Amino acid sequence: MMTHMSLKPSQAQSLFLLILVLVPLICIAMSDSAAKPLDSNANTSSSSAPAVHIVYTEKPQDEEPEAYHIRTLSAVLGSEETAKEALLYSYKSAASGFSAKLTPDQVDQISKQPGVLQVVPSRTLQLHSGPNKLV
């Protein structure tokens, strides 16, 4: 026998926001512990070379997300033009943030910007496709 549970709109919204925050965090935690990078040269590259990072930000209130992301990048890279060139993708739906090629120094600087929640290196992961593929 299945019972039906009803939630008030405010409870449903809170539950949705909680799930929206927890799912990406769980995915990141799982990928860090179980997945292996496809690029075997990832550990041998120069530590000062730019690498793709995902920058999670607060959701902008009175500004278009991409404009907010460019403004945040501009504060570190020095100009709007340089920021537009460095911006690879602007995330607007499930999460707010962007991906960009950044040096370690730029990662440190952007991590300190107002509204920046987290900066993580972007990684290409290979999913397991069956019992014979586990290595």
Side-chain angles (χ1 to χ4, degrees):
M1 180 172 152
M2 200 187 283
T3 60
H4 180 71
M5 179 174 39
S6 65
L7 297 174
K8 295 179 184 175
S10 63
Q11 291 173 320
Q13 185 178 19
S14 296
L15 182 60
F16 174 75
L17 290 173
L18 179 65
I19 291 170
L20 190 66
V21 169
L22 287 179
V23 168
L25 293 176
I26 291 169
C27 290
I28 290 170
M30 289 174 59
S31 69
D32 285 344
S33 65
K36 118 180 161 178
L38 285 176
D39 184 7
S40 61
N41 295 330
N43 296 332
T44 61
S45 63
S46 170
S47 62
S48 63
V52 177
H53 285 77
I54 299 172
V55 180
Y56 292 98
T57 65
E58 294 175 349
K59 189 170 187 164
Q61 297 301 316
D62 300 324
E63 190 173 6
E64 288 297 316
E66 190 168 341
Y68 176 70
H69 300 154
I70 290 170
R71 186 169 53 82
T72 302
L73 256 177
S74 297
V76 171
L77 301 182
S79 74
E80 187 174 309
E81 183 178 318
T82 306
K84 286 180 180 179
E85 290 172 5
L87 184 73
L88 300 174
Y89 190 81
S90 217
Y91 302 97
K92 305 167 196 161
S93 299
S96 179
F98 57 90
S99 59
K101 279 192 171 185
L102 302 169
T103 65
D105 288 339
Q106 292 167 337
V107 169
D108 288 340
Q109 290 175 20
I110 207 157
S111 296
K112 297 172 187 169
Q113 292 298 309
V116 172
L117 304 174
Q118 182 180 25
V119 181
V120 295
S122 178
R123 299 186 328 169
T124 303
L125 304 173
Q126 182 176 7
L127 298 176
H128 300 295
S129 60
N132 295 333
K133 300 291 182 179
L134 296 176
V135 178

